[in-house]
Amino acid sequence: MSGLNIVHVTPTPLVGAPGKLASAQRMRGHDAIAVGLAPYPQGGPLGKMFLDRTVLIDAFTQPHIEDRIKAADIVHLHNSLPAERLAWLSDLNQTADYVYQVHSPLREGPLYIDRSEACEGLDLIAKLVVGQYAGRMYPDFTPVPNLILTPPSIKKRGPDDKLRVMFSPSHSRTGRWNAKYSAALEETLKALKKINKIELISPDQPVAPEVLMEIRRGCHVSIDEIATGAFHQISLEAMCAGNIAINRADFFCKATFGGFCDGEMPPFLYADDGNIAELLLRLADDWEETARRQQESYDYFKRYCDPLRLVEVYDAAYQRVN
């Protein structure tokens, strides 16, 4: 399937996910655009980041955006849109097929309830959920993958290299699935850095995602989070950069993503508060294990995570369109 006119509408940049999807769909032969209703709040930790592939709606862009919506075969809605924007979309195009995709867990901000019910007046052909951890909360939604557009690379650790570890959480909020903070992890990283076992790359202020990815390509390990049983885009970026991805992802999360990858689960390295110190110390002392696991990450990404391959999952969700 190719040649569809697709408009993604997202309330915020959602760490670039809708923009990346639109870019991958264009590479596949669709005419796709990602439209953002607002940037992340100014003064917040993310500011205007993640807007490189998303067109914000304003007085200048609105006429073009409305033309694109009127011509759309698919209007792909992300997370939660205000009622007035849903009515605006319906007024502009009542013949398009609408798709709703959720990126966030229930009962945590910004999605405290299933917002797909707000789309009742639209011709909703599919309900999708990011195929990581949120799927368990939306059993009647179809899992779909996040996409990483950066070309994969690897810089394997050598015998004389200190273990280079990146930890760059996007926030420190608490929550069942949105949490990123772990006191044990923070203490372990500080201790290993102090005794000169690791080189820690942990920015103390927000860094543009493309800059962060470039620095990640020179690391050996990327730590996602060990506070929940989930994983996030950082783990996918880690594999793309030839890093060992450390997280606390449970079987469900890994198996869900493995469903896009011929059933093979991603080669994440599990960690929790009880074993993170021992795990990092073991890697710090064993460059060969580090290099071997880096290669496993890189090979998995090359084998399964090419965006042109993964974007076919979205084509399948759109299959009702003529």
Side-chain angles (χ1 to χ4, degrees):
M1 178 188 294
S2 63
L4 293 175
N5 292 315
I6 305 167
V7 177
H8 295 268
V9 186
T10 178
T12 69
L14 289 176
V15 294
K20 291 175 186 175
L21 175 54
S23 294
Q25 289 173 326
R26 288 195 297 273
M27 289 189 283
R28 186 155 174 80
H30 301 299
D31 189 1
I33 182 176
V35 175
L37 300 185
Y40 287 117
Q42 286 287 42
L46 301 179
K48 289 191 174 182
M49 293 185 186
F50 304 103
L51 289 176
D52 57 318
R53 296 182 177 93
T54 302
V55 179
L56 282 181
I57 188 165
D58 57 27
F60 175 69
T61 62
Q62 183 158 336
H64 174 72
I65 288 170
E66 291 188 345
D67 285 343
R68 294 296 299 268
I69 293 169
K70 290 173 184 176
D73 302 304
I74 294 283
V75 179
H76 191 135
L77 312 174
H78 294 264
N79 246 19
S80 175
L81 302 179
E84 61 269 20
R85 282 299 183 186
L86 293 174
W88 170 71
L89 290 168
S90 180
D91 288 344
L92 288 171
N93 192 331
Q94 296 182 3
T95 62
D97 286 299
Y98 285 78
V99 171
Y100 174 72
Q101 180 175 344
V102 62
H103 297 248
S104 303
L106 287 173
R107 296 178 291 279
E108 296 183 48
L111 293 188
Y112 295 96
I113 59 172
D114 178 356
R115 302 294 176 88
S116 63
E117 295 180 0
C119 306
E120 245 177 34
L122 304 173
D123 183 14
L124 204 62
I125 65 163
K127 296 192 293 185
L128 312 177
V129 60
V130 173
Q132 292 169 196
Y133 63 94
R136 72 188 73 211
M137 287 160 265
Y138 303 89
D140 60 333
F141 284 44
T142 299
V144 289
N146 269 328
L147 307 179
I148 305 299
L149 302 188
T150 306
S153 64
I154 185 171
K155 186 177 180 182
K156 287 199 286 189
R157 185 183 178 193
D160 299 322
D161 296 330
K162 189 185 299 184
L163 185 69
R164 189 174 297 116
V165 178
M166 175 173 279
F167 180 56
S168 56
S170 58
H171 64 77
S172 58
R173 296 191 301 269
T174 59
R176 172 60 185 92
W177 295 105
N178 276 336
K180 301 288 180 72
Y181 177 75
S182 160
L185 174 58
E186 295 277 358
E187 301 228 350
T188 296
L189 292 174
K190 288 178 184 176
L192 292 179
K193 179 182 177 183
K194 186 174 182 179
I195 64 174
N196 207 31
K197 281 289 187 179
I198 66 171
E199 180 182 345
L200 178 61
I201 312 296
S202 187
D204 56 7
Q205 59 185 9
V207 177
E210 60 273 14
V211 174
L212 207 58
M213 189 64 178
E214 175 60 29
I215 297 171
R216 194 183 307 280
R217 293 194 312 117
C219 294
H220 310 120
V221 170
S222 285
I223 301 175
D224 188 335
E225 53 96 346
I226 62 168
T228 76
F231 74 91
H232 310 271
Q233 281 200 63
I234 287 174
S235 290
L236 305 181
E237 292 168 357
M239 292 193 297
C240 178
N243 285 198
I244 301 169
I246 292 180
N247 57 45
R248 197 179 173 180
D250 60 22
F251 178 86
F252 179 91
C253 292
K254 291 186 291 186
T256 300
F257 191 81
F260 314 126
C261 306
D262 296 343
E264 184 178 344
M265 294 194 287
F268 301 149
L269 200 50
Y270 177 92
D272 56 29
D273 283 353
N275 78 335
I276 185 61
E278 178 185 356
L279 174 61
L280 287 175
L281 191 58
R282 188 184 85 216
L283 291 176
D285 288 339
D286 192 339
W287 71 268
E288 290 176 306
E289 181 185 0
T290 304
R292 174 176 59 80
R293 289 186 180 276
Q294 284 183 263
Q295 189 69 51
E296 289 173 357
S297 284
Y298 174 77
D299 290 345
Y300 185 93
F301 191 92
K302 287 276 288 184
R303 193 158 57 245
Y304 295 122
C305 299
D306 185 301
L308 286 180
R309 178 186 181 279
L310 290 180
V311 82
E312 293 178 4
V313 178
Y314 291 87
D315 278 0
Y318 298 164
Q319 64 185 347
R320 268 189 48 187
V321 182
N322 297 320

